[in-house]
Amino acid sequence: MNQTLLYPLIMSVGVLISSVSQFMLKKAAQKEYSSVLKEYLNPLVIGAYFILFLASLCSVFAYRVVQLSLGAVIESTSYIYVTVLSAVLYKERITVKKIIALILIVSGIIVFSM
């Protein structure tokens, strides 16, 4: 696979799994714990931080080839992932304001890539 496609794809996967780790942390934060230690040292939190670490590695690895300006655009796609995942996993409503915001984000990505 061409490097100009592979590295942005690696970065995009990193952004996606970073979004998933945010949801894991949110799920863990919604639970009640008997101690502070159990709040931070449970499988969900540890797994989320491990996934976030992997996402960071993807970004660092991808930035070897991806330009910083393009990296910022790829990172901004996380807003799209979080909005879609919150609608699917938490049944949150996608309001008109959210749709307008997503349209602006996607428009910015399109304009920048031209």
Side-chain angles (χ1 to χ4, degrees):
M1 181 179 273
N2 190 353
Q3 277 191 350
T4 56
L5 293 176
L6 178 64
Y7 285 85
L9 180 63
I10 290 170
M11 182 172 271
S12 297
V13 168
V15 171
L16 177 62
I17 64 173
S18 168
S19 299
V20 170
S21 75
Q22 291 176 33
F23 281 93
M24 291 171 68
L25 289 171
K26 181 176 181 177
K27 187 79 167 173
Q30 292 173 335
K31 294 180 180 179
E32 293 288 326
Y33 298 95
S34 59
S35 73
V36 175
L37 192 60
K38 287 182 181 179
E39 186 173 347
Y40 292 101
L41 295 179
N42 65 67
L44 199 56
V45 171
I46 293 170
Y49 281 119
F50 179 74
I51 290 172
L52 192 58
F53 175 74
L54 291 178
S56 297
L57 285 179
C58 288
S59 292
V60 168
F61 182 73
Y63 270 126
R64 292 173 50 204
V65 173
V66 174
Q67 295 177 358
L68 287 174
S69 56
L70 178 59
V73 171
I74 293 172
E75 295 284 341
S76 70
T77 61
S78 69
Y79 296 107
I80 299 166
Y81 299 140
V82 169
T83 303
V84 171
L85 287 173
S86 66
V88 172
L89 298 176
Y90 289 112
K91 309 294 186 232
E92 291 182 6
R93 289 188 55 228
I94 299 179
T95 63
V96 174
K97 285 183 181 181
K98 288 180 183 178
I99 291 172
I100 291 170
L102 290 177
I103 289 170
L104 288 172
I105 290 168
V106 171
S107 299
I109 291 170
I110 291 169
V111 167
F112 182 81
S113 60
M114 294 175 135

